[in-house]
Amino acid sequence: MSAEAPVVDLSVKIGDLTLANPVSTASGTFGKGLEFRPFYDVSRLGSVVVKTITTEPREGNVPPRLAELPAGLLNSIGLANPGVDEYIRTYLPKLRTLGAPLVINIAGHSVEDFGTLTARFAKEEGIAAFELNMSCPNVASGLDYSTDPVVAREVMDRVRGETDIPLIAKLSPNVTDVRPIAEAVVAGGADAISAINTLVGLAIDWRKRRPILGRAYGGVSGPCIKAVALRIVRQLYETVDVPIVGIGGIQDADDVMEFILAGASVIQVGTANYYRPTAALDILEGLPERIASLGASSLREIVGTLEMP
Ligand code: SIN
């Protein structure tokens, strides 16, 4: 950070949790955080979100799992992860050394399983918040938890019953209207909503008459989805009274300013981590002067202040 950087309060709250700044990492795009240590001091981030963890270990989907798109990426990883027991034994101790608040992202294969996973992690030290992956398009039933308000509410009720740790519900853009789902998760006790997960897409190798991905459909991320993400963040901001975590094609601090004005209090850097490992830090360093240029001395002052026609 330059010596002349203006003093701007970047802190944000999610439930009882105070984050020093709004910059976080999107689940699945930041390894276990440890891989980024050679590039910068990860403890400077407001929080770090880990790749989704499930009850049982998962190999993930049949390859190929990734396809490059113009201005984006199509993935069908299939929630590959070592499962909760191995995760707690092997990885959690290392993650506790990251220095940034740790957000554990979990996905259940049923409402009950969401509760069981939460209970298992809630006994562990050093977890700042849970992000509930209710919106993975790449596993059977993965989308069911954020496409039906009744089911979304059931997940939240079940998880809320297990912990007082702040809960962030990660919602899907693959719905006609995200607002009823958002109202349902907030009624069920969500402390924040993160949006958006990926948009369902298809990449084709026409010469082979085949989809490029092994499982055909995947989730689109990257700059090509930013406008969709901004629209949904704005709709969420106008609908619910909890912090919004904005995700979708964020590459730089200017993108983040757009998300903040739309209504995001926290943002996650995702696909950009793959091609610019310092993206999250660069964003953090670019925010104070941009916020100050709007005449504000804190991030909170400008959240949602987009002037809509
Ligand atoms: C995946 O593991 O397939 C991606 C996770 C997600 O989109 O939620």
Side-chain angles (χ1 to χ4, degrees), residues 230-247:
L230 285 169
R231 184 261 300 172
I232 290 179
V233 165
R234 185 67 195 179
Q235 288 179 321
L236 292 171
Y237 178 79
E238 290 174 349
T239 304
V240 292
D241 199 16
V242 296
I244 311 300
V245 180
I247 320 164

Side-chain angles (χ1 to χ4, degrees), residues 2 5 28 38 50 84 91-92 100 120 147 214 226 229 237 246 250 271 291:
S2 83
V50 302
V84 62
Y91 297 106
L92 198 53
R120 185 82 178 76
T147 49
K226 188 182 85 171
Y237 178 79
I250 291 174
T271 306
I291 294 171

Side-chain angles (χ1 to χ4, degrees), residues 51-52 61 75-80 133 135-138 170 197-198:
K51 172 71 181 163
T52 303
N61 290 339
N75 92 80
S76 179
I77 306 300
L79 302 183
N133 186 352
S135 48
C136 176
N138 301 328
K170 186 168 183 178
N197 205 325
T198 55

Side-chain angles (χ1 to χ4, degrees), residues 127-183:
I127 296 173
F130 288 104
E131 182 176 60
L132 310 180
N133 186 352
M134 302 164 71
S135 48
C136 176
N138 301 328
V139 295
S141 311
L143 283 176
D144 292 0
Y145 308 106
S146 64
T147 49
D148 178 339
V150 174
V151 181
R153 173 71 193 262
E154 283 172 10
V155 170
M156 285 310 308
D157 283 341
R158 183 67 185 82
V159 171
R160 187 77 282 173
E162 294 292 348
T163 185
D164 293 329
I165 294 174
L167 298 175
I168 307 167
K170 186 168 183 178
L171 299 188
S172 176
N174 301 297
V175 289
T176 310
D177 189 348
V178 74
R179 289 168 287 197
I181 320 282
E183 286 168 334

Side-chain angles (χ1 to χ4, degrees), residues 4-295:
E4 302 84 40
V7 178
V8 171
D9 179 1
L10 294 177
S11 66
V12 284
K13 284 196 81 166
I14 292 182
D16 292 337
L17 174 69
T18 300
L19 303 174
N21 67 69
V23 180
S24 188
T25 58
S27 174
T29 66
F30 202 63
K32 295 182 181 61
L34 307 161
E35 297 88 337
F36 284 74
R37 274 181 166 163
F39 299 102
Y40 63 92
D41 177 6
V42 173
S43 74
R44 291 183 59 191
L45 297 179
S47 55
V48 166
V49 184
V50 302
K51 172 71 181 163
T52 303
I53 304 146
T54 55
T55 304
E56 301 300 329
R58 290 181 60 91
E59 287 288 320
N61 290 339
V62 59
R65 298 176 177 182
L66 290 177
E68 276 192 53
L69 307 174
L73 192 64
L74 184 70
N75 92 80
S76 179
I77 306 300
L79 302 183
N81 80 98
V84 62
D85 290 338
E86 175 67 6
Y87 204 89
I88 287 175
R89 195 166 41 241
T90 307
Y91 297 106
L92 198 53
K94 295 180 187 155
L95 286 161
R96 289 193 190 105
T97 70
L98 276 180
L102 186 60
V103 179
I104 293 288
N105 180 301
I106 57 170
H109 57 70
S110 63
V111 170
E112 182 56 27
D113 194 41
F114 267 101
T116 309
L117 256 176
T118 308
R120 185 82 178 76
F121 271 114
K123 292 190 208 123
E124 301 297 322
E125 294 293 314
I127 296 173
F130 288 104
E131 182 176 60
L132 310 180
N133 186 352
M134 302 164 71
S135 48
C136 176
N138 301 328
V139 295
S141 311
L143 283 176
D144 292 0
Y145 308 106
S146 64
T147 49
D148 178 339
V150 174
V151 181
R153 173 71 193 262
E154 283 172 10
V155 170
M156 285 310 308
D157 283 341
R158 183 67 185 82
V159 171
R160 187 77 282 173
E162 294 292 348
T163 185
D164 293 329
I165 294 174
L167 298 175
I168 307 167
K170 186 168 183 178
L171 299 188
S172 176
N174 301 297
V175 289
T176 310
D177 189 348
V178 74
R179 289 168 287 197
I181 320 282
E183 286 168 334
V185 294
V186 171
D191 297 288
I193 293 176
S194 53
I196 56 176
N197 205 325
T198 55
L199 286 143
V200 177
L202 173 67
I204 293 175
D205 182 339
W206 68 266
R207 290 180 177 81
K208 295 183 181 156
R209 291 186 193 242
R210 300 272 307 168
I212 292 175
L213 298 189
R215 199 172 182 262
Y217 299 122
V220 181
S221 64
C224 61
I225 70 166
K226 188 182 85 171
V228 177
L230 285 169
R231 184 261 300 172
I232 290 179
V233 165
R234 185 67 195 179
Q235 288 179 321
L236 292 171
Y237 178 79
E238 290 174 349
T239 304
V240 292
D241 199 16
V242 296
I244 311 300
V245 180
I247 320 164
I250 291 174
Q251 301 190 83
D252 56 32
D254 292 315
D255 290 334
V256 171
M257 292 301 289
E258 294 172 21
F259 273 84
I260 293 170
L261 294 195
S265 298
V266 174
I267 59 86
Q268 293 179 3
V269 183
T271 306
N273 290 313
Y274 294 128
Y275 53 87
R276 214 173 68 246
T278 59
L281 181 69
D282 297 343
I283 286 169
L284 177 59
E285 294 189 338
L287 283 180
E289 64 161 302
R290 284 169 175 77
I291 294 171
S293 77
L294 295 182

